[in-house]
Amino acid sequence: MNRILIAEDEELIASFVAKGLRANGFTPTTVGFGQLALERALSSEFDLLVLDLGLPDLDGFTVLARLRAAGSTMPVVILTARDSVDDTVAGLEGGADDYIPKPFRFEELLARIRLRLRDDRTAEPTVLRCGDLSLDLRSRRASADGRVVELTAREFVLVEMFLRNPGQVLSRQQLLSHIWGYDYDPGSNIVDVYVRYLRKKLGPERIETVGGMGYRLAPGPELLD
């Protein structure tokens, strides 16, 4: 299980990212200060660092520079409100592996994290399966009952989340925050709307409603490579 260090001083964003990563099988740890982020990053406890540039005491550029000067090759994904070309170039040339401006969508951050971890480690499954439902993460193709199913980008991410958590009840709040971002409206019914879309495309019994809790993918075999 990959361990992710999140260096972010905005508690809402740090909590949102940590919850999303935890829901996808990672072990996240959050810190809000640059010096602490540097110390933890150098401890060899973590597999990847998500780094905000606007940290108290030490800014992200300094953390990154000292991390690389110490010989650390740990992947670093910068997540910041600084979206100028100069800042992006400075971050990448300073040793960051990726650079994502805020506001952001969690599914993009998750994809970038997985990509950077695959660069350095054994690749995770590229096809997710549960019964006769499958999702190819490389070709972005889905199939159900032996037929190809066309999915929109949001539908694809929703199916992926269900397949990564087969049989587990996922609350509307979990699905909202994971797919629609940390600034989602908790009163929105968009999850219910998209579940209806998926039931029409994948079959009405594919996604079960668990009263008062949320939704889950109907039980099936474990995920396969």
Side-chain angles (χ1 to χ4, degrees):
M1 184 177 293
N2 291 118
R3 299 157 299 174
I4 310 297
L5 178 63
I6 304 164
E8 170 62 65
D9 64 326
E10 293 187 44
E11 292 186 9
L12 176 63
I13 296 177
S15 175
F16 162 68
V17 173
K19 287 179 181 177
L21 290 176
R22 194 172 294 111
N24 282 274
F26 295 94
T27 301
T29 297
T30 62
V31 295
F33 292 88
Q35 182 61 43
L36 182 56
L38 179 61
E39 292 171 3
R40 298 299 300 272
L42 289 172
S43 69
S44 301
E45 298 175 58
F46 300 96
D47 301 302
L48 182 142
L49 169 63
V50 177
L51 177 64
D52 180 28
L53 293 181
L55 294 171
D57 65 2
L58 287 182
D59 68 19
F61 285 126
T62 302
V63 172
L64 179 61
R66 293 185 183 179
L67 186 65
R68 294 308 186 220
S72 174
T73 60
M74 180 174 64
V76 176
V77 176
I78 290 177
L79 181 65
T80 180
R82 302 183 192 178
D83 59 357
S84 71
V85 173
D86 288 344
D87 282 330
T88 303
V89 170
L92 295 174
E93 289 187 345
D97 297 271
D98 218 328
Y99 195 108
I100 302 177
K102 300 173 185 176
F104 65 99
R105 295 297 180 188
F106 180 78
E107 63 265 28
E108 179 182 2
L109 174 61
L110 182 63
R112 303 285 187 95
I113 288 173
R114 285 175 173 157
L115 175 63
R116 298 310 164 193
L117 289 173
R118 283 202 300 270
D119 285 346
D120 212 29
R121 295 167 176 79
T122 303
E124 64 172 17
T126 58
V127 178
L128 306 180
R129 291 190 176 91
C130 183
D132 58 10
L133 173 64
S134 68
L135 199 66
D136 190 316
L137 303 179
R138 287 181 176 171
S139 68
R140 310 289 289 183
R141 298 183 65 181
S143 65
D145 300 321
R147 56 189 173 83
V148 174
V149 180
E150 296 294 330
L151 298 175
T152 66
R154 289 286 170 80
E155 289 170 349
F156 187 94
V157 176
L158 186 56
V159 173
E160 180 183 353
M161 190 167 183
F162 279 122
L163 280 169
R164 290 187 182 278
N165 301 276
Q168 179 179 329
V169 178
L170 300 176
S171 69
R172 289 173 176 81
Q173 182 176 343
Q174 281 179 286
L175 296 170
L176 270 171
S177 62
H178 175 79
I179 298 168
W180 281 272
Y182 65 89
D183 55 351
Y184 66 90
D185 174 6
S188 172
N189 71 338
I190 192 68
V191 170
D192 308 278
V193 171
Y194 270 78
V195 166
R196 288 200 296 270
Y197 292 161
L198 291 181
R199 283 171 170 164
K200 288 180 180 179
K201 292 184 176 184
L202 304 177
E205 306 302 321
R206 187 78 62 177
I207 299 173
E208 302 174 339
T209 300
V210 181
M213 298 178 67
Y215 297 103
R216 70 181 169 198
L217 191 66
E222 296 296 319
L223 303 184
L224 304 175
D225 291 332

